[in-house]
Amino acid sequence: GLQAVEAAQAALAGLEASSSLLAFADQGSNINGMLFMASLPPYLAFIYFLGYRGNNTPPLVKFSFSFLLVFVAATIPAGLLSKTTYSAILADSDWLHGAAESLLACTNICLVAGLRAGLCGDTQAAKGGLPKAIAGAWTVLVLLTLATGITLFNSEVHTPFLGGLGGLPAGIVDVAEPINALSVPTWMVHWSTVFEWLLAMSLVWKWADVTGNPRWKGLTWAMVPSHISSCAALTFHIFYNQVPWILTAQAFCTALGNLTLAIAAGRIAVSNGWTPSELNPFAEKPAAPSQEAKGAEAEDDEGFDPALLAKPLQPSEMTSGPLLVAEIVLLTVVFTYLTKYGELFINLFQTTGVEASVAAGLFVFIPPVVVAFACWGDSSDLKSGAWPSFLVPLGAGPAAGRQEKR
């Protein structure tokens, strides 16, 4: 009987090792790796359409979505280090995992800052000089961590990220943690990215009203699959990286999310005057509305002109920056400690049976359903049966309309 149990555990461990979505570098031969590779082209298309000059997208927003590729790239050396040095998946090496994942938190922070600046029509803040500099420094620190963690600091496979800063002293919680449990800093990185993404979704929804182009609300809907992917990552760690199918769900939702983002951004671009002729690198491109109005001076605006916004918000109409930061930090801290120490008292999270899979499914899908229901509640057109078409008539957006009037 004991030999059978050990054999089953060995088989499960082998399945887990071959199912790591986070260690992208060695995933080319399985379904997770194929889904990941398939997700890159639509994401590049999303960035292309989002940056169309007629969209009047805040520069920091464009930078943020592009910077996410830095996070993706960082997981490659992190995954290789984890696999070749420790023979472990990236999710099981806390210091590598937390360092790489922190770049996603940086991405979402910049995204929220860019959207808030755009909503208020703050040209200078929308350029994002300081956030971009912080993102650059953040990247350097992460790369230095990956490069020196083993050689200079002798970090081991389960060395906690940032030394496990914030962890409760031994003895306060009289329950043994699995050796691959996430540290407090890594949990904080994960939870903060979830809350930042949800905030970004709500800001994109407001951006639709500010620009006068309702197709931006389609981008909020398109962000839902990516939220499911984030919930899947959280759930995988809640179950101590022991339920492999969650990673496949995460990979699928990542690929689906990138596709829906590309479609949503394409609809926005078409509504603002994009045509297939834009793909011709030799064709003369018409100037964006802001460039027509300002001429050469528009080069400094990086394609963003607050004068083109239909109803920019006043700073008093938005939650103050310090209060918003405090809310995100509070939510992150509360959920981090509840997750890290609360799950120790529930044996289900340390199992891999049918009950664990059912519970994991609820954890992955219920939060996004709640988010989608909230979006539905604020969508009078959808509730009335006016479903959007994938095909958008040329010139249907505010920017294109302004071009026609000139």
Side-chain angles (χ1 to χ4, degrees):
L2 180 59
Q3 290 180 336
V5 171
E6 290 176 346
Q9 290 176 334
L12 178 60
L15 180 59
E16 291 170 2
S18 67
S19 300
S20 170
L21 177 66
L22 296 176
F24 292 131
D26 63 349
Q27 296 301 297
S29 61
N30 65 38
I31 184 63
N32 296 341
M34 288 186 283
L35 285 170
F36 165 69
M37 289 186 287
S39 73
L40 285 178
Y43 192 79
L44 294 176
F46 161 65
I47 292 176
Y48 167 76
F49 283 121
L50 186 75
Y52 173 62
R53 62 187 179 279
N55 290 343
N56 202 28
T57 306
L60 185 54
V61 172
K62 293 186 286 187
F63 168 83
S64 302
F65 280 118
S66 299
F67 185 76
L68 185 136
L69 295 175
V70 176
F71 154 68
V72 173
T75 63
I76 296 175
L80 285 173
L81 281 172
S82 181
K83 186 173 182 64
T84 59
T85 306
Y86 305 126
S87 298
I89 63 173
L90 181 55
D92 280 341
S93 183
D94 193 75
W95 72 275
L96 285 169
H97 179 199
E101 192 77 22
S102 72
L103 288 170
L104 182 56
C106 179
T107 298
N108 290 352
I109 290 171
C110 291
L111 177 59
V112 169
L115 288 167
R116 283 174 56 85
L119 287 170
C120 294
D122 188 335
T123 305
Q124 198 61 36
K127 292 180 180 179
L130 180 59
K132 290 177 181 178
I134 292 175
W138 198 318
T139 303
V140 171
L141 288 175
V142 168
L143 294 178
L144 286 175
T145 299
L146 300 182
T148 63
I150 296 173
T151 56
L152 293 183
F153 299 100
N154 299 315
S155 297
E156 299 179 353
V157 59
H158 298 304
T159 296
F161 179 49
L162 298 181
L165 183 68
L168 298 180
I172 290 185
V173 179
D174 193 22
V175 180
E177 271 192 315
I179 195 171
N180 67 340
L182 269 59
S183 65
V184 166
T186 301
W187 268 123
M188 291 187 71
V189 166
H190 273 287
W191 277 114
S192 68
T193 59
V194 170
F195 294 129
E196 291 152 4
W197 187 255
L198 290 174
L199 177 58
M201 291 174 67
S202 69
L203 294 176
V204 170
W205 194 271
K206 292 180 180 178
W207 182 248
D209 296 328
V210 167
T211 60
N213 188 345
R215 287 158 192 83
W216 281 98
K217 292 184 178 181
L219 183 58
T220 296
W221 282 105
M223 294 168 76
V224 172
S226 298
H227 177 52
I228 300 175
S229 178
S230 296
C231 290
L234 283 171
T235 303
F236 184 61
H237 301 319
I238 288 174
F239 284 85
Y240 298 102
N241 310 337
Q242 297 181 99
V243 184
W245 71 259
I246 301 176
L247 289 178
T248 303
Q250 183 189 6
F252 174 79
C253 290
T254 297
L256 175 63
N258 288 356
L259 178 61
T260 56
L261 288 174
I263 293 172
R267 294 182 74 250
I268 294 168
V270 169
S271 75
N272 286 321
W274 183 91
T275 64
S277 64
E278 296 284 340
L279 299 174
N280 182 358
F282 304 105
E284 183 178 352
K285 305 293 192 300
S290 60
Q291 292 175 321
E292 291 180 357
K294 294 185 177 182
E297 296 179 1
E299 295 180 2
D300 294 332
D301 295 337
E302 299 183 58
F304 176 65
D305 184 2
L308 300 179
L309 301 178
K311 296 182 294 183
L313 299 179
Q314 297 300 315
S316 59
E317 298 179 82
M318 300 185 66
T319 304
S320 69
L323 179 58
L324 187 62
V325 171
E327 291 176 352
I328 296 295
V329 170
L330 179 61
L331 284 170
T332 298
V333 169
V334 169
F335 276 80
T336 290
Y337 282 91
L338 283 177
T339 304
K340 179 170 177 61
Y341 297 108
E343 65 175 334
L344 293 175
F345 298 94
I346 303 176
N347 293 330
L348 178 65
F349 295 127
Q350 299 185 44
T351 65
T352 59
V354 175
E355 296 85 356
S357 288
V358 171
L362 295 177
F363 274 67
V364 170
F365 294 107
I366 286 182
V369 168
V370 173
V371 172
F373 185 77
C375 293
W376 174 271
D378 201 24
S379 303
S380 57
D381 53 342
L382 295 182
K383 290 192 293 185
S384 65
W387 291 86
S389 171
F390 282 108
L391 300 177
V392 181
L394 179 62
R402 282 188 291 268
Q403 287 177 323
E404 291 174 359
K405 293 177 182 179
R406 290 181 184 275

